[in-house]
Amino acid sequence: MQRVELRIPSIPIFERVVRASAAEVGSAAGFSPEQVEDLKLAVSEAVNNAIDHGNRGDVAKLVAVTFEIDGEKLEIRVSDQGGGIERIDVSRRVVDDAALDAGYLRGFGMYLISALVDDYEVDSSQQGTVLTLRLYRKDRQQ
């Protein structure tokens, strides 16, 4: 197994470092260019959620991102140091007029993530939330 670990402050500009790393790791793991683009977007959304919702923009709190490559998959763990969450709603799929009129364009991140990766899981406690994303090699997926 190969592992890459990053820790960034809860400052949105550093999400770009993680996104660039996701592209390199995805390419090194042998994923197609289309899969790498999906990976970059999913990881970007997960990191932004960790910064905004988990750590609530507290620059003293870190977001940890771990990429692990094995023979069948790439697994990415995004961890924050926030107070945890009760549940995640992935059902929000469309932008409605009321949300647009109110200037509310947030809340689609988890749905987007769920659509871009093969599977994911959430583990949350008062010490923080860990979002684990998985992309399986298509030639080995069962």
Side-chain angles (χ1 to χ4, degrees):
M1 182 176 305
Q2 299 169 328
R3 178 182 292 179
V4 175
E5 297 179 13
L6 302 168
R7 291 187 187 277
I8 63 166
S10 294
I11 300 172
I13 193 76
F14 289 105
E15 170 273 329
R16 293 179 185 180
V17 173
V18 179
R19 185 177 39 196
S21 297
E24 293 299 327
V25 170
S27 293
F31 287 95
S32 71
E34 294 82 12
Q35 290 172 302
V36 170
E37 288 303 312
D38 288 351
L39 170 65
K40 286 169 38 183
L41 184 52
V43 169
S44 179
E45 286 293 329
V47 168
N48 283 324
N49 280 348
I51 290 171
D52 294 343
H53 302 297
N55 292 344
R56 300 197 184 277
D58 182 345
V59 297
K61 293 182 178 180
L62 298 176
V63 175
V65 182
T66 304
F67 299 90
E68 288 187 356
I69 304 167
D70 68 21
E72 68 178 30
K73 70 182 175 306
L74 170 59
E75 185 172 277
I76 307 98
R77 282 187 306 282
V78 179
S79 308
D80 64 50
Q81 297 177 321
I85 55 174
E86 290 186 28
R87 69 178 191 85
I88 292 196
D89 180 9
V90 297
S91 65
R92 191 166 177 200
R93 298 183 175 151
V94 296
V95 177
D96 59 32
D97 290 337
L100 286 174
D101 291 342
Y104 184 73
L105 297 174
R106 307 285 315 236
F108 300 98
M110 283 308 302
Y111 169 71
L112 187 57
I113 290 168
S114 72
L116 293 170
V117 299
D118 294 319
D119 73 67
Y120 72 94
E121 59 189 66
V122 180
D123 183 25
S124 191
S125 71
Q126 292 179 342
Q127 286 73 45
T129 300
V130 179
L131 177 60
T132 303
L133 313 175
R134 290 182 196 88
L135 284 150
Y136 293 93
R137 295 176 195 261
K138 300 302 181 200
D139 58 341
R140 299 199 182 183
Q141 190 176 5
Q142 298 177 0

